[in-house]
Amino acid sequence: MSEVEDKYGSSFDVFEILPNIVRNKDKTIVIKYGGNAMFNHDVKKSVIKDIVFLKMIGMRPVVVHGGGPAINEYMNRLGLEPEFVRGQRKTSKETLEIIEMVLCGKVNNELIKMMNYEGAKAIGMSGKDMGMISARKLRGEYKDDGKLKYYDLGQVGEVTDIDPYIFDILTEYDIIPVIAPIGMGEDDIDYNINADVLAGEIAGEIGADRLIFLTDVDGVMTDPDDPSSLIDEIKAKDARRAIGMTIKGGMIPKVESSLKAIDRGLEKTNILNGMVPHSLLWKMLTMERIGTTIIP
Amino acid sequence: MSEVEDKYGSSFDVFEILPNIVRNKDKTIVIKYGGNAMFNHDVKKSVIKDIVFLKMIGMRPVVVHGGGPAINEYMNRLGLEPEFVRGQRKTSKETLEIIEMVLCGKVNNELIKMMNYEGAKAIGMSGKDMGMISARKLRGEYKDDGKLKYYDLGQVGEVTDIDPYIFDILTEYDIIPVIAPIGMGEDDIDYNINADVLAGEIAGEIGADRLIFLTDVDGVMTDPDDPSSLIDEIKAKDARRAIGMTIKGGMIPKVESSLKAIDRGLEKTNILNGMVPHSLLWKMLTMERIGTTIIP
Amino acid sequence: MSEVEDKYGSSFDVFEILPNIVRNKDKTIVIKYGGNAMFNHDVKKSVIKDIVFLKMIGMRPVVVHGGGPAINEYMNRLGLEPEFVRGQRKTSKETLEIIEMVLCGKVNNELIKMMNYEGAKAIGMSGKDMGMISARKLRGEYKDDGKLKYYDLGQVGEVTDIDPYIFDILTEYDIIPVIAPIGMGEDDIDYNINADVLAGEIAGEIGADRLIFLTDVDGVMTDPDDPSSLIDEIKAKDARRAIGMTIKGGMIPKVESSLKAIDRGLEKTNILNGMVPHSLLWKMLTMERIGTTIIP
Amino acid sequence: MSEVEDKYGSSFDVFEILPNIVRNKDKTIVIKYGGNAMFNHDVKKSVIKDIVFLKMIGMRPVVVHGGGPAINEYMNRLGLEPEFVRGQRKTSKETLEIIEMVLCGKVNNELIKMMNYEGAKAIGMSGKDMGMISARKLRGEYKDDGKLKYYDLGQVGEVTDIDPYIFDILTEYDIIPVIAPIGMGEDDIDYNINADVLAGEIAGEIGADRLIFLTDVDGVMTDPDDPSSLIDEIKAKDARRAIGMTIKGGMIPKVESSLKAIDRGLEKTNILNGMVPHSLLWKMLTMERIGTTIIP
Amino acid sequence: MSEVEDKYGSSFDVFEILPNIVRNKDKTIVIKYGGNAMFNHDVKKSVIKDIVFLKMIGMRPVVVHGGGPAINEYMNRLGLEPEFVRGQRKTSKETLEIIEMVLCGKVNNELIKMMNYEGAKAIGMSGKDMGMISARKLRGEYKDDGKLKYYDLGQVGEVTDIDPYIFDILTEYDIIPVIAPIGMGEDDIDYNINADVLAGEIAGEIGADRLIFLTDVDGVMTDPDDPSSLIDEIKAKDARRAIGMTIKGGMIPKVESSLKAIDRGLEKTNILNGMVPHSLLWKMLTMERIGTTIIP
Amino acid sequence: MSEVEDKYGSSFDVFEILPNIVRNKDKTIVIKYGGNAMFNHDVKKSVIKDIVFLKMIGMRPVVVHGGGPAINEYMNRLGLEPEFVRGQRKTSKETLEIIEMVLCGKVNNELIKMMNYEGAKAIGMSGKDMGMISARKLRGEYKDDGKLKYYDLGQVGEVTDIDPYIFDILTEYDIIPVIAPIGMGEDDIDYNINADVLAGEIAGEIGADRLIFLTDVDGVMTDPDDPSSLIDEIKAKDARRAIGMTIKGGMIPKVESSLKAIDRGLEKTNILNGMVPHSLLWKMLTMERIGTTIIP
């Protein structure tokens, strides 16, 4: 990755970025921030500065974050054994309590603190605040011999409704919402929600202009081992066809979430490597080709 | 306590409460909710309903909560030994992380969820949201032979500044703020703050009309073992004199916080037994003499 | 009626009414208040308190009143002979002046005074204020031998237009409008309007959620002499068919007005006995089956 | 008066009135309209048009009216004998009810109807609306042999408080308030208030710029029988001294009310003959010397 | 013209103009002011007063002006030879600079100064302010032997877009916009735009109610030499047919602009003789038949 | 100057400028732009971009400009001989007309066009717009033998009043005001005003935070020929003393204007070399020591 890093820096040319600042003024950018890009403190600090910078020059970032390795660490410390069903983590009531504490009380709190420290005004929330994210149990399903079969993932949920009310208020007062992916069930049970999926749902519901996944790979690659195989830009319909083929693993929810959001009117979505210094700024402020862009 | 409970119920007479509804319309009521009154699920549910009820009939509750026994439970599970200095818990960096996770990710989340479930709009916050509570290290001090001596309590803090901005916004949009007592240090270190003290500071800063401590005793009693010794109403100057005498233990921060808030213009403060069903409503909506009231 | 009265009182259980307060928050309720329920001072005082109570807990009452026996009293004192055509009172220019003085200068003034005394903010109006109710002469008609025949009722009018402008303003400032049923004719002649009909027209025009007739009978009864024959709930289309059959006399304008308002989008209308203490509150705040409800 | 009338007409020169329109834009003008200037229908129609004209060109008229001979007419018809104490009418409870009905239900209603008919938006009110005029019993007093003696005038009141709230709202929405001089007593008894006095109190409370008395004489005259003795302009301190001397009878409350209002900051007050066609417009829009002006 | 002038004056009768003031309140009136009606200082002063008068009594004038003889004067002084192509002035880059300086720096500045002096609040603008008028090169074309032929007029432009944003702001704050007919080209070259055409485009874009051409002839005449041949009122479809026949020369852009604006929803347009004193007021405030009115 | 230019460029480091963006958010910056820094097209384009950049990142620039050499050019072309009195240009009525045309119709129009082209929203104004700058004749004076003597500078004016109203409106709608230094006299005569002085008056009146002079020298230098003698920062009281000594010529009005503005509450003023690329950005966004700063 060193080559990539050499290419970029933290300096931007006024003549180049001014038109992009003008063009993106007042645009709402939902940023999913997760994975290893949250692990390293320096990377995190740089990402936070970038987000605050975008805010300061007139954009409206909304941040959705994942849990990083912090959840695993606490589960270990509490002696909780992870349980997996078909490769997905099953979430028990006890596990969810830990997840929620770590996501809201630790990860989210750290992010807003860093943003406020840089001069922005940020508020941390989960789906319980204002009851804004309603969710229900997600039914795990797979095909076996052509027949659908189901399995139980516990308190893993899917979004049934998002109330955009609080987003409008925070936008009006220039406050950055930072959201932990916890949903409130109608049956009074909480759910853990995939943050990639949630980011797309929020982007669609609040009529965001852009959805960005800050992750730890460079984007969609035809050959994961060959950086030069990075797909620079892909149309939604081509991306749909590529799911399960070139698009695999953790890239799938990002792309599916992108496609759903594009169907609801987004201009474009980006998958960026958060480990590359200022990738967010390079993408939003310059014409630099970086990451994978999905367009309608 | 059974006698007391017999006296009260959940029914209110329209003819009696209407004048109080009118009188208290648009009044801001800071409610410190803590201790054992948060322990029992039924009591908690009833308290939450009372707060939502006050909101619905036109008052503006602001809730500050403590941690209840949940913090202890998690510290035990994580094998952390409590350390005490002169009877006060010393807060290490590691302990604070647990405290913050439990306060924000568990206790606070449960409270707002219950409020939202009852039909109110509530948002959970700590002092890190909007950087609204600034704090600094509290210096433990005691007198020994007439000389002041100091000891270290770790990351236990005192409030240096409260930014009322977010309260104004939430008030305008009829949202109940629910606040966990965590402060943001200028030195980038967080602090655990006494919730009684924080409630008073907030009440003073946002120009609240009333400050109520919902706790697990009936109020200030001259003889803690004799319910009939309850002091119904006490003037600020008399209360000041009684500190260390009739007013002892956990009652001290409540009274000191009350006095400070009254100095900044509050109408009155109440110390109520949250275990008594609907004590909050009886106090705010009827002429019933209940708990201890401190007046200017 | 004593049995009924025994059943009700002025006490309400917080646990029962909270969900109804939440559900009805910000709902606009047009209340037609008239007949004998306005005659007795204690009943009137209680009804006024109920209306103020609904306002204080977040609903938006709009009151339309009739004239009660006060008009008759003044007509007698002034030696005016009532004149009837086919059972309807014919309104001469002189009579209308008395009606208007009594409705606006006495009945309406008393109602707003009582509301303001209870802590609400109320303003009295007639259709002349802001020129908000336009009316034209109502043509009395009947069928004779299959042919329509007409007769003259003098200055009795029907609504041709209602200007919702002032209602929006008063709603914004939390003021209760109290309206006397006088309309302003384009031909510069005023008209007396049936208050039941006017209430429905206003409800339709301002997009009210609910229309309530507070009268002096329990509701629609299949046998007026048998309280147990009260129809609890009736669908609009069934009510339409029952007009002239089960629905007779003074109940007809109430039901017709209800049907018209439901056609314009109201959730439901209620016919309640204003003589029953707090019938308004029981209906709006509890699940008690009381009065007759007409649903779409 | 015919000479005076010849001098004036309803035509105004754009070049003359434009600077006055600019100068008086957004100024609040309290107009006391009463006496015989309300008796003649043509005069009334012309006065109403003038008021609406002032409103349309940007001023903010607030109208306070008296009762005219309509009260006497109804008292006669109802066989009520007027009772006088030291030349002032004593108001019994029964009389007040008639006064209120006539003022609010007849006189006020006619005025607002005419204004709305001319294209303005007017609302009729008395002190009961919003409880905006608080009053108490006025104690009649006179000196006998150097000692103060008191007598009872019944429900004649003096203003104790005026709530400007509704005036602010109506001003914001370009609505003309038309006010009948009835006050709401704290003891739940209403009072009849002198309209000249009330106009001054309102002007003072709402911070009006100008107070105009539209009456049926040309102004303050040193010799009431000699029109040429009209005092064109008088300073407040000179007017104070002239009370009881040149200033007599019904002119006294007008002047005293003027002085009180000037003390509270009014620019000036005018006493005009409402019988002179368009005297209001001549005064406000031209440099014509007409009526008596009291200046600070 | 003296006969016409005798007929009119600067005096208006309140009884006549009040209904028109009411009817035209808050109406947006685009006024094209140009030609010889701008040449004479007294006429100009009178026209300015009329516009300010309309503003003061509640209408919303928007003024578009031409250049008058001032442009010619400066071109002569600078020794610039006018160049004509098929009877139209060809605008070189150098000429446009002079035109712009004279229109914005002299003519426009004089108009706003006079308005502000009369007590209005006016702001001068050209299409460059806020980039509000976008234009492109107008292609001169004519038919020769049935074939379209083109010629070059230099920097004469046609409107491609008008941004109504600033008009909304100025309207909200009661400011009169005064606009010089200069357009901003996408290719970074400015254009001179026909002021008649621009007035119609603006009227259409901002949803004006009325469009008035203040020029130096009495209106559309069947015989230009016979004042009695003035067409009082003409329907749009008849006007369309008359172009090139009765409607000739400088009247053509006025009528074509009118028709286009009427197609976009205007109530009517007027062509008035600005040399006739107060023709604008007579048209807007009385029923006087003056000028030519084009109706849908 | 090449050395200086080498030092600077158009690239800025996010880590360095973020804190300055935060610190200067919503600050109002009055920028006097004039002299040779307006002469070169490339320099002008770069300065315009810098101003738009500051606007886009949240500051509120207000631009006051001078006339540059464009006035001289047109005076020459029109054959007008400049007339000087004691080294100052005497402004005749005819000269002022040229000055106004060039300033408003050419220089100002070019500036706003360039800003709008870069994506900002700018409006050009002179003191005649809204009548916002009132001025009176400036009396030239000098001392001869200890006696004050006066001379006539024609229509050169000094500011008597500035109306901040329009600035508030434009600020609210994110519009950059660009102001030509022409004042409106009470005596209906216009005046040419020194742009340095006007910038200071505006800064003081609208409560600006900062005042910046973009000129063509590096700042205040003790030896004008030695760039290294540049005074980096100077206190107001020291600057006052240095006037006529180190501070000479065209620097005097800049410094005097600065001192006056600082007296009225400005944080600081800067004198910068507009010829140095991006000096405005370097000053506002970095800690670079550039130009001369005057502090309270």
Side-chain angles (χ1 to χ4, degrees), chain B residues 56-280:
Chain B
M56 287 293 152
I57 61 177
M59 293 171 223
R60 296 170 180 160
V62 170
V63 179
V64 179
H65 63 85
I71 292 170
N72 293 338
E73 180 203 327
Y74 267 93
M75 288 189 65
N76 285 341
R77 286 182 59 184
L78 287 158
L80 289 164
E81 285 291 322
E83 188 185 346
F84 287 87
V85 184
R86 296 189 61 82
Q88 287 188 271
R89 182 197 300 268
K90 186 166 172 179
T91 304
S92 68
K93 191 173 180 58
E94 195 186 9
T95 309
L96 186 66
E97 185 170 302
I98 309 302
I99 290 175
E100 196 177 335
M101 278 170 53
V102 173
L103 282 178
C104 299
K106 185 173 154 56
V107 179
N108 188 294
N109 264 6
E110 272 170 21
L111 293 177
I112 56 168
K113 179 182 171 175
M114 289 172 83
M115 287 185 194
N116 290 323
Y117 198 80
E118 294 298 334
K121 293 175 289 178
I123 274 191
M125 299 192 294
S126 83
K128 289 183 180 174
D129 288 272
M130 309 282 291
M132 72 170 168
I133 303 170
S134 302
R136 68 174 166 220
K137 194 176 171 64
L138 176 72
R139 193 154 65 160
E141 56 184 37
Y142 63 100
K143 275 195 182 160
D144 183 13
D145 242 342
K147 281 187 242 162
L148 265 180
K149 299 221 168 172
Y150 305 105
Y151 53 96
D152 186 11
L153 285 166
Q155 286 176 244
V156 171
E158 62 182 349
V159 173
T160 54
D161 189 42
I162 289 174
D163 181 353
Y165 184 69
I166 187 66
F167 292 96
D168 294 343
I169 297 172
L170 299 184
T171 291
E172 193 186 331
Y173 290 94
D174 274 329
I175 299 169
I176 304 176
V178 180
I179 299 152
I182 299 292
M184 185 164 152
E186 282 192 41
D187 45 1
D188 204 8
I189 292 177
D190 305 329
Y191 294 103
N192 184 18
I193 299 170
N194 180 299
D196 288 336
V197 172
L198 179 60
E201 294 279 353
I202 289 174
E205 186 61 39
I206 66 175
D209 301 280
R210 188 81 80 100
L211 170 60
I212 297 175
F213 296 92
L214 266 190
T215 181
D216 46 19
V217 295
D218 286 349
V220 178
M221 285 175 284
T222 49
D223 174 356
D225 297 326
D226 175 9
S228 73
S229 75
L230 178 75
I231 295 172
D232 190 66
E233 192 175 279
I234 184 167
K235 290 203 173 170
K237 67 172 198 295
D238 297 330
R240 206 176 304 272
R241 239 178 284 128
I243 290 172
M245 325 254 300
T246 348
I247 295 162
K248 277 176 285 200
M251 202 52 80
I252 292 180
K254 288 172 184 54
V255 171
E256 286 186 332
S257 189
S258 291
L259 296 176
K260 215 167 155 190
I262 283 172
D263 281 349
R264 296 173 77 177
L266 258 80
E267 294 171 2
K268 60 176 78 168
T269 73
N270 305 104
I271 298 163
L272 297 178
N273 191 342
M275 307 298 283
V276 175
H278 303 291
S279 53
L280 194 51

Side-chain angles (χ1 to χ4, degrees), chain C residues 75-92:
Chain C
M75 288 190 65
N76 285 341
R77 286 182 57 184
L78 288 159
L80 288 165
E81 285 290 321
E83 190 185 345
F84 287 88
V85 183
R86 296 189 62 83
Q88 285 189 271
R89 183 196 300 269
K90 187 167 172 178
T91 304
S92 69

